[in-house]
């Protein structure tokens, strides 16, 4: 992981623009990133001889500048790392402030106060990104920290050209805030942004410089910490100097399970995603042979129904058992036990929907988060998913520091039986406690075959992340798709509640949609996710970023 080779030969861009540069690598490297700025910087780090973690750190900070919907220093995330020596999971998830408490979003009658956990400073958890990147660098970095921060500093200081999709997202969000009469300061910073124009962020540049020059102390202590705490105090927020000084990113053991000849490395709690995708993949494999031993047709009525039925069971377990493992004993092994899953899958009826209790759906207003995948020339891989929760987080930009605060507190269960913004339920396992990490669906995942990286994947999308990730895996492993086909193939999502609703992309066949409706499903045609995938086929990399987003994927050789 610490090896560095200085020159690259050619840089082949799979998705959009093609670039060429000098390179003499051991083997192909690749990046699949949510925008061109992060892709170009990550590729440049790899071409300078940096490893996958170096490229990931530089990309993470660039995204804090160029992808304000989800890229961040004011949020958190998970970085899954595979090297020839070890697998590691850097958990830089936000935590509840010390003054946070179980009922902080309830009124006097014990009812959840609408939007309190979603907009404004009270919705923010203590940010983890800077500590997470620092920990990753301490453990695996081969290039100087400063050199990994500099591209982001330059993009904030000199500006970047605003992509039309970013301008559209901002304009949608401004309309949304106005229509719903939500009082946040987002418009003060982003209100004038125009597609095609250069957008400079001087305050963010100064915050990034403090991180560049002083590491985590440049964020959790000193000027940035003072600015955050002052802002909190002015607006009734909870994050204190003590919260910031005490924040720690942690290194956890990834979940690692065999499946269909692969070793699946994925996210452990406080993510629900790793358990969920493995439950889904294992139950799928248990149930498919029962269906006449024939593979199901991709995205057919039978395929969608089978995976929706499995999803009900997965999300029921998620609601009851999953939370921060440092606070709640999550029964990971039992939930992934083959016999348990066999029993769980046993009552799936391939022809009919099983019943669920009626519960009010969540708001489903907007969702974001972002993901990227990297493979370096030594075969090391990073799958990194990072978030400020909803698109543009809490809607609050820290004045003088120039970054958006997360609204991750909504990923806790504000009250048992009441769905969060993603329609997800929770109970004791995911109730709010000081310093506790809120349950996540982020699922950065790596599949190994014969100890080599075979696939690196992940996606944004709240609870739909889980469906995007397991379907990207099935698309490649079961249906032999290329990276571009796998990321762009229509997906669908079912999560127990809302009852019998299947959310799906455009592109399912009319006859299958009709048949699913006849079975009793309600179809909800709304896009979700933005998968960035790298596949290794016999030593040849194939990288894909979803066409609908503004991502860029490249193979370097
Ligand atoms: N905030 C989305 C997630 O962590 O699942």
């Amino acid at each position: 992981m610490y090896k560095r080779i200085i020159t690259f030969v050619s840089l082949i861009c799979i998705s959009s623009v093609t670039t060429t540069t000098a390179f003499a690598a051991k083997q192909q490297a690749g990046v699949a990133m949510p925008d061109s700025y992060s892709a170009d910087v990550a590729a440049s780090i790899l071409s300078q001889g940096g490893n996958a973690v170096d490229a990931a750190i530089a990309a993470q900070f660039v995204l804090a500048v160029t992808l304000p919907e989800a890229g961040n220093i004011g949020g958190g995330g998970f970085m899954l790392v595979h090297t020839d020596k070890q697998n590691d999971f850097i958990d830089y998830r936000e935590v509840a402030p010390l003054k946070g408490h179980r009922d902080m979003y309830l009124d006097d009658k014990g009812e959840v106060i609408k939007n309190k956990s979603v907009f404004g400073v009270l919705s923010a958890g203590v940010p983890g990104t800077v500590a997470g990147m620092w920990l990753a660098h301490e453990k695996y970095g081969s290039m100087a920290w400063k050199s990994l921060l500099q591209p982001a500093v330059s993009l904030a200081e000199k500006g970047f050209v605003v992509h039309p999709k970013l301008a559209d997202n901002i304009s949608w969000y401004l309309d949304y805030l106005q229509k719903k009469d939500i009082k946040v300061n987002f418009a003060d910073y982003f209100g004038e942004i125009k597609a095609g124009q250069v957008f400079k962020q001087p305050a963010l540049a100064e915050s990034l410089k403090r991180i560049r020059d002083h590491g985590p102390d440049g964020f959790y202590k000193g000027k940035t910490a003072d600015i955050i705490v002052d802002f909190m105090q002015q607006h009734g927020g909870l994050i204190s100097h003590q919260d910031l000084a005490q924040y720690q990113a942690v290194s956890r053991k990834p979940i690692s399970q065999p499946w269909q000849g692969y070793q699946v490395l994925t996210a452990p709690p406080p993510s629900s995603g790793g358990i969920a995708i493995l439950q889904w993949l294992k139950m799928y494999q248990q149930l498919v042979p029962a269906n006449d031993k024939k593979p199901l047709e991709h995205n057919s009525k039978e395929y969608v129904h089978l995976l929706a039925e499995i999803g009900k069971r997965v999300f029921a377990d998620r609601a009851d058992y999953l939370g921060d493992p440092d606070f709640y004993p999550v029964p990971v092994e039992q939930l992934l036990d083959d016999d348990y899953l066999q029993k769980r899958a046993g009552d799936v009826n391939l022809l009919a929907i099983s019943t669920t209790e009626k519960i009010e759906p969540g708001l489903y207003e907007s969702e974001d988060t972002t993901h990227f995948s990297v493979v370096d020339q030594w075969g090391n891989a990073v799958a990194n998913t990072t978030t400020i929760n909803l698109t543009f987080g809490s809607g609050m930009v820290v004045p003088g520091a120039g970054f958006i605060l997360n609204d991750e507190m909504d990923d806790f269960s504000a009250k048992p039986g009441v769905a969060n913004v993603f329609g997800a339920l929770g109970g004791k396992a995911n109730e709010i406690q000081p310093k506790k990490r809120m349950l996540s669906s982020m699922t950065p995942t790596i599949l190994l075959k014969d100890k080599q990286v075979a696939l690196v994947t992940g996606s944004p999308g709240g609870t739909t992340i889980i469906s995007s990730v397991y379907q990207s895996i099935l698309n490649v492993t079961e249906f032999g798709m290329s990276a571009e086909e796998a990321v762009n193939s229509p997906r669908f999502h079912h999560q127990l509640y809302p009852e019998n609703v299947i959310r799906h992309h455009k592109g399912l066949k009319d006859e299958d949609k009709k048949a699913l409706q006849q079975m009793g499903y309600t179809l909800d045609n709304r896009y979700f996710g933005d998968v960035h995938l790298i596949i290794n086929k016999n030593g040849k990399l194939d990288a894909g970023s979803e066409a609908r987003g503004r991502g860029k994927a490249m193979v370097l050789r």
Side-chain angles (χ1 to χ4, degrees):
M1 195 64 185
Y2 303 96
K3 287 168 266 175
R4 292 172 57 182
I5 289 181
I6 302 304
T7 40
F8 262 50
V9 183
S10 73
L11 193 75
I12 307 240
C13 176
I14 295 296
S15 270
S16 40
V17 194
T18 303
T19 334
T20 306
T21 190
F23 180 61
K26 286 184 77 123
Q27 59 191 52
Q28 287 184 329
V31 301
M33 293 275 159
D35 78 354
S36 64
Y37 294 102
S38 53
D40 291 344
V41 166
S44 160
I45 296 288
L46 293 173
S47 72
Q48 291 168 52
N51 63 37
V53 173
D54 293 321
I57 293 168
Q60 170 81 35
F61 286 112
V62 166
L63 289 168
V65 180
T66 60
L67 200 121
E69 297 100 318
N72 69 82
I73 53 173
F78 300 134
M79 183 188 285
L80 178 62
V81 182
H82 165 76
T83 76
D84 54 350
K85 301 206 175 40
Q86 61 187 317
N87 302 310
D88 197 357
F89 183 79
I90 309 267
D91 169 356
Y92 58 99
R93 184 74 164 157
E94 302 92 325
V95 299
L98 289 162
K99 288 201 179 121
H101 58 90
R102 192 191 63 184
D103 298 334
M104 64 186 277
Y105 299 114
L106 305 186
D107 64 16
D108 296 346
K109 297 193 186 94
E111 303 299 336
V112 174
I113 304 167
K114 192 165 187 260
N115 282 343
K116 202 172 173 184
S117 62
V118 181
F119 294 102
V121 290
L122 263 186
S123 65
V126 183
T129 295
V130 176
M133 293 307 109
W134 183 258
L135 180 59
H137 188 258
E138 295 256 283
K139 292 186 83 171
Y140 305 106
S142 74
M143 289 177 63
W145 172 256
K146 284 189 180 185
S147 66
L148 301 179
L149 263 290
Q150 190 53 43
V153 170
S154 300
L155 283 162
E157 203 160 42
K158 295 184 188 141
F160 70 97
V161 179
V162 174
H163 194 287
K165 288 179 182 170
L166 169 57
D168 284 352
N169 287 344
I170 287 178
S171 138
W172 163 82
Y173 189 63
L174 290 169
D175 278 357
Y176 178 83
L177 294 174
Q178 199 176 19
K179 265 191 218 127
K180 303 268 170 178
D181 195 25
I182 294 163
K183 304 270 184 273
V184 288
N185 68 1
F186 180 82
D188 301 349
Y189 291 80
F190 294 98
E192 299 303 314
I193 233 171
K194 297 264 179 314
Q197 288 187 354
V198 173
F199 181 57
K200 295 183 183 173
Q201 300 173 81
L204 178 59
E206 294 308 310
S207 296
L208 288 166
K209 280 182 198 169
R210 288 191 284 276
I211 298 167
R212 178 194 64 190
D213 298 341
H214 306 291
D217 284 357
F219 183 84
Y220 294 100
K221 294 180 182 164
K223 184 162 180 184
T224 303
D226 289 346
I227 295 173
I228 296 171
V229 174
D230 281 354
F231 185 54
M232 286 285 149
Q233 286 170 354
Q234 279 165 32
H235 294 271
L238 300 183
I239 297 174
S240 64
H241 278 293
Q242 208 184 350
D243 280 308
L244 294 167
Q246 287 185 3
Y247 181 84
Q248 287 202 316
V250 291
S251 183
R252 298 186 192 275
K253 215 168 139 205
I255 291 179
S256 176
Q257 293 257 328
W259 175 78
Q260 295 293 100
Y262 295 94
Q263 195 67 23
V264 178
L265 307 175
T266 188
S271 175
S272 60
I275 291 173
I277 65 155
L278 275 162
Q279 287 193 327
W280 231 308
L281 293 171
K282 285 181 168 197
M283 282 196 261
Y284 172 79
Q285 226 56 56
Q286 286 169 350
L287 286 163
V288 164
N291 188 43
D292 294 341
K293 300 197 187 308
K294 276 194 303 221
L296 294 172
E297 186 191 327
H298 183 254
N299 281 357
S300 61
K301 168 196 98 170
E302 293 80 8
Y303 183 74
V304 175
H305 168 63
L306 170 62
L307 289 166
E309 278 293 308
I310 295 171
K312 280 189 168 152
R313 288 150 181 82
V314 169
F315 270 86
D317 280 357
R318 183 190 191 278
D320 277 354
Y321 299 120
L322 301 190
D324 181 346
D326 297 338
F327 286 74
Y328 189 85
V330 180
V332 180
E333 274 164 33
Q334 293 93 311
L335 290 170
L336 293 177
D337 179 76
D338 287 335
D339 292 339
Y340 168 73
L341 292 174
Q342 191 94 49
K343 275 195 212 115
R344 203 93 177 95
D347 61 350
V348 169
N349 181 337
L350 293 172
L351 300 174
I353 303 175
S354 49
T355 50
T356 41
E357 222 180 294
K358 177 94 179 137
I359 295 213
E360 284 303 303
L363 298 172
Y364 269 146
E365 296 290 10
S366 74
E367 59 215 8
D368 227 298
T369 298
T370 190
H371 172 85
F372 58 79
S373 300
V374 188
V375 175
D376 69 22
Q377 59 180 310
W378 301 284
N380 306 305
V382 167
N384 186 80
T385 313
T386 184
T387 186
I388 43 177
N389 199 23
L390 296 189
T391 310
F392 305 114
S394 63
M396 293 298 260
V397 186
V398 183
F403 63 87
I404 300 179
L405 278 171
N406 69 83
D407 59 344
E408 219 72 62
M409 291 296 283
D410 190 65
D411 273 347
F412 279 117
S413 167
K415 183 181 170 179
V418 177
N420 77 352
V421 89
F422 299 117
L425 298 172
K428 184 145 190 66
N430 191 32
E431 70 185 18
I432 303 169
Q433 285 175 259
K435 291 184 88 168
K436 186 176 176 180
R437 285 160 152 86
M438 53 297 280
L439 185 62
S440 174
S441 299
M442 290 187 285
T443 318
T445 296
I446 297 171
L447 267 59
L448 305 179
K449 192 150 206 170
D450 303 327
K451 303 202 167 140
Q452 302 296 314
V453 170
L455 184 152
V456 187
T457 188
S459 176
T463 45
T464 67
I465 289 172
I466 295 165
S467 293
S468 293
V469 171
Y470 87 76
Q471 284 170 46
S472 71
I473 293 171
L474 288 177
N475 286 350
V476 174
T477 60
E478 289 283 287
F479 300 100
M481 292 185 196
S482 69
E484 281 207 48
E485 286 165 344
V487 297
N488 290 316
S489 176
R491 296 189 295 270
F492 54 89
H493 173 73
H494 180 60
Q495 61 172 50
L496 188 64
Y497 305 114
E499 190 183 11
N500 301 333
V501 173
I502 293 181
R503 185 171 169 183
H504 67 94
H505 294 180
K506 268 196 200 128
L508 296 187
K509 281 196 224 134
D510 285 345
E511 70 211 52
D512 289 318
K513 287 195 286 190
K514 214 163 151 197
L516 287 162
Q517 281 165 328
Q518 278 164 358
M519 286 178 85
Y521 286 111
T522 303
L523 296 185
D524 175 12
N525 179 355
R526 265 181 314 133
Y527 207 86
F528 58 88
D530 186 29
V531 176
H532 300 281
L533 173 70
I534 302 177
I535 310 171
N536 179 357
K537 277 192 199 148
N538 306 320
K540 270 194 173 305
L541 294 191
D542 176 18
S545 286
E546 254 181 91
R548 191 178 163 276
R550 55 182 198 268
K552 182 169 171 183
M554 289 185 268
V555 173
L556 295 76
R557 59 174 150 191

